[in-house]
Amino acid sequence: MAIAGVPPSLIVALFTYCPRILISYFVFLCATLCRAVKRLIVGPPQENVNKRVLIITDYVPPQTHGIALRFQRYVEVMRARGHEVHIFSPKMKGAFYTSFHHPDLPSLVNPYNKCNKMSFSAGVKLAWYLGAYAWDVVHLVYPSLLGWFVLPLCAWRAIPTYCSHHVDMELYFKKYTQGIAYKLGTFFYWQLFKFPAQQWGTVNASMTQCFLDEHLPLAKSGGLRTAVIPTGVQTERFNAESKEQRCRERKKLVDKLTTTTATKNSTRRTTRSSSSSSISEDTKLLLMVQRLAPEKEIQRVFPALRQLKGKVNVHLVIVGHGPSEDELKELAKGLPVTFLGRIPNSDLPPLYRAADVFITCSRSETYGLTVLESLACSTPVVIPHCIVFDELWKGKLPDKWIFEAGKNNSLAEAIAAASNSNARKWLLQNPVKASWEVATDTLLKQYEDMILMNEPVKRRHVTLVNILAIVLRVVAIGLALFVSYHEIKILRRTWRMLDAWIPG
């Protein structure tokens, strides 16, 4: 009998978890044995100047959310720097195989985000790669169910592990489950996710220190080595173009919105309110780019639009899709709102530049990459007060752009302040710059620091392995001499017998 609120696929995965992990351990041991035989014959591997990095993540393209894009950029820059980077990810439609990209992990549909898959077992190929090859760094991207397999084996092999935490899963449990499903979810999250990261991870990282302190109790108490994983944008795409370019992009967006508003039978991901106001030169275009889901709290913007009516002429553009889409469209009736549906990341920079203000109401972000992308395009942002945004942006952005969630008129006042003509001028004078090249170089420096920090452990491990190799070689030589001695005795005895039988 299925437990209410728990998907059957998740129950099946939990019941098959132990048998699958035992198979993975067996494959790992076979790979380790083969590596040991090679070491005995060939000797220890040569040290390379470049790094060999293994990244294990459930979040890669063709997914388009922030975590997938983040690691796509990291990998591109690392490979451009000459490092060997292998990626293991779940099997999914549109994923491609290369010598360095392995979408082989057994997976199931994420019950809290139907567009994503999550791996629940290491599988044979990852187990083999983890046991057979030498790695400078293993980077495990959380949330992941593979911590119990990957991290203790890396600790046993003295491979430094970088555990980066990107999602507040406990918030998802609160939003999407209740009763026994919530209790089971939080229990398994602690046992399968948090415990191995805190127990065996060399470094635990997140985009902000405050999230890490709140997420992992040992981080706050100082019992963990922690780091802030760097973030950037593609500066060649997300930038402040000329005023003429921005005017062209705004006109293109206005034409699209006008066409959408005039069409009653729009596409299934595009809708309009029944009383959308016309878009004129003085209309302030507001933009939201995010997954349409309860934890994003998008519904908070609609009362603010009503409060601005008659004060500021605005039109809100919402980009994204998700489980709350129909509900949000219903709430937006009678308001100047257009839903554009899902738009490729490559098409976002013109939208950011065309907008007068970017808005997010989400307090569940671990970073909020869309905020950084908007600021890189010199578009003012309106964000809520929360521990993450306060750590990232308090004191760096005008206080009037940050609103108190739940406080009457606070969001409307923030929108009015950020849509002021002086707001963009302020950003142009105080630009926010963060490239993926600089971010990846910082991440590589963190890897290097972690490798150096792990050096004493590695030396002890190498010394032990070398002693064991010497002992095994001595034993092998001894066995060879023993066998050779007895073979010589047998040959001599056989020769005497033949000599006695053959006359002359």
Side-chain angles (χ1 to χ4, degrees):
M1 183 177 177
I3 301 172
V6 180
S9 59
L10 190 57
I11 296 173
V12 172
L14 288 172
F15 275 105
T16 60
Y17 181 78
C18 288
R20 282 179 174 272
I21 202 171
L22 288 175
I23 293 171
S24 298
Y25 277 125
F26 175 75
V27 173
F28 172 84
L29 289 174
C30 291
T32 303
L33 181 61
C34 292
R35 183 169 50 84
V37 172
K38 179 186 174 183
R39 188 184 181 97
L40 281 173
I41 298 171
V42 181
Q46 297 295 317
E47 293 289 335
N48 295 324
V49 175
N50 64 324
K51 292 182 179 62
R52 177 179 276 181
V53 181
L54 175 61
I55 297 177
I56 305 165
T57 175
D58 290 348
Y59 310 96
V60 290
Q63 299 173 27
T64 57
H65 52 69
I67 308 173
L69 296 173
R70 171 187 292 273
F71 280 89
Q72 181 185 17
R73 306 305 175 214
Y74 286 151
V75 171
E76 287 173 353
V77 178
M78 284 185 199
R79 287 174 179 166
R81 300 284 192 267
H83 301 293
E84 182 182 339
V85 186
H86 289 257
I87 305 174
F88 275 83
S89 60
K91 295 177 181 178
M92 66 181 78
K93 186 178 180 181
F96 57 91
Y97 286 82
T98 71
S99 301
F100 304 100
H101 187 196
H102 315 278
D104 291 292
L105 299 177
S107 59
L108 50 86
V109 174
N110 189 325
Y112 306 111
N113 189 346
K114 304 294 184 182
C115 296
N116 294 346
K117 284 192 170 184
M118 61 181 191
S119 53
F120 63 92
S121 171
V124 171
K125 192 173 183 180
L126 175 58
W128 181 265
Y129 269 63
L130 201 58
Y133 297 101
W135 303 102
D136 294 301
V137 172
V138 172
H139 188 149
L140 183 59
V141 181
Y142 273 91
S144 173
L145 281 165
L146 304 185
W148 267 101
F149 177 77
V150 172
L151 297 177
L153 294 183
C154 287
W156 182 64
R157 286 195 58 191
I159 301 171
T161 49
Y162 190 99
C163 302
S164 57
H165 302 264
H166 300 264
V167 180
D168 187 355
M169 287 300 297
E170 288 168 314
L171 183 140
Y172 280 80
F173 292 141
K174 289 177 184 177
K175 291 282 185 181
Y176 291 94
T177 62
Q178 54 185 351
I180 189 171
Y182 172 75
K183 292 179 180 178
L184 282 174
T186 52
F187 172 77
F188 281 115
Y189 184 60
W190 269 91
Q191 298 303 318
L192 300 179
F193 292 73
K194 290 188 176 184
F195 179 80
Q198 295 183 103
Q199 184 70 22
W200 294 295
T202 308
V203 168
N204 282 270
S206 187
M207 287 69 66
T208 56
Q209 188 64 44
C210 62
F211 172 74
L212 206 56
D213 292 343
E214 186 181 66
H215 192 65
L216 299 176
L218 287 180
K220 192 171 185 177
S221 64
L224 291 178
R225 298 186 184 97
T226 62
V228 175
I229 188 169
T231 303
V233 296
Q234 283 185 292
T235 51
E236 67 274 15
R237 293 174 52 233
F238 296 94
N239 53 53
E241 293 281 359
S242 64
K243 187 177 180 180
E244 293 75 16
Q245 174 70 12
R246 193 177 78 82
C247 289
R248 287 195 296 271
E249 290 169 342
R250 178 185 171 88
K251 184 179 184 304
K252 186 177 179 180
L253 177 58
V254 169
D255 290 344
K256 185 174 184 177
L257 295 177
T258 303
T259 303
T260 302
T261 305
T263 305
K264 291 183 179 180
N265 298 318
S266 57
T267 61
R268 63 193 176 109
R269 289 200 182 280
T270 310
T271 189
R272 72 172 189 88
S273 76
S274 57
S275 61
S276 295
S277 59
S278 60
I279 300 172
S280 60
E281 286 292 327
D282 67 334
T283 300
K284 300 297 182 182
L285 297 180
L286 314 179
L287 177 66
M288 301 183 85
V289 180
Q290 55 204 303
R291 181 169 177 260
L292 309 186
E295 69 274 6
K296 301 299 184 181
E297 300 184 282
I298 299 169
Q299 72 281 358
R300 289 185 180 276
V301 76
F302 301 138
L305 295 182
R306 294 188 178 92
Q307 292 164 4
L308 289 169
K309 191 174 181 180
K311 300 176 183 177
V312 183
N313 186 13
V314 298
H315 192 100
L316 175 63
V317 180
I318 298 179
V319 174
H321 69 109
S324 298
E325 186 169 346
D326 293 337
E327 179 186 348
L328 291 170
K329 287 179 178 179
E330 189 66 28
L331 292 172
K333 284 184 176 179
L335 293 170
V337 179
T338 301
F339 289 80
L340 290 184
R342 188 173 188 172
I343 289 180
N345 182 265
S346 57
D347 295 341
L348 287 181
L351 279 178
Y352 285 126
R353 288 189 289 265
D356 293 289
V357 178
F358 174 85
I359 303 172
T360 180
C361 298
S362 173
R363 292 173 292 170
S364 64
E365 304 296 330
T366 53
Y367 186 88
L369 185 58
T370 51
V371 174
L372 181 60
E373 290 174 344
S374 179
L375 291 169
C377 294
S378 291
T379 299
V381 299
V382 169
I383 57 177
H385 271 297
C386 61
I387 58 170
V388 169
F389 287 150
D390 285 351
E391 179 180 326
L392 290 171
W393 302 116
K394 194 172 182 181
K396 298 177 183 177
L397 297 177
D399 291 340
K400 291 182 179 180
W401 297 2
I402 307 174
F403 69 93
E404 292 283 354
K407 184 178 178 182
N408 192 32
N409 293 329
S410 182
L411 177 53
E413 290 170 359
I415 294 173
S419 61
N420 187 284
S421 58
N422 292 323
R424 191 182 291 271
K425 292 178 183 177
W426 185 91
L427 262 184
L428 290 170
Q429 294 169 357
N430 302 273
V432 174
K433 296 181 179 180
S435 71
W436 282 119
E437 288 76 11
V438 173
T440 307
D441 287 339
T442 304
L443 179 60
L444 286 169
K445 179 63 168 60
Q446 291 178 355
Y447 285 170
E448 190 64 44
D449 292 342
M450 184 174 66
I451 291 169
L452 291 174
M453 183 172 57
N454 191 62
E455 197 60 36
V457 179
K458 187 79 172 179
R459 278 200 299 269
R460 288 197 297 270
H461 178 82
V462 169
T463 301
L464 184 63
V465 169
N466 287 338
I467 291 172
L468 183 61
I470 292 170
V471 170
L472 289 175
R473 286 192 184 104
V474 170
V475 170
I477 292 170
L479 284 172
L481 291 173
F482 178 79
V483 170
S484 299
Y485 171 74
H486 282 278
E487 283 181 346
I488 291 169
K489 286 181 67 176
I490 292 170
L491 285 171
R492 285 176 176 172
R493 190 179 304 152
T494 304
W495 179 259
R496 292 194 192 99
M497 289 173 62
L498 290 174
D499 189 54
W501 292 343
I502 299 173

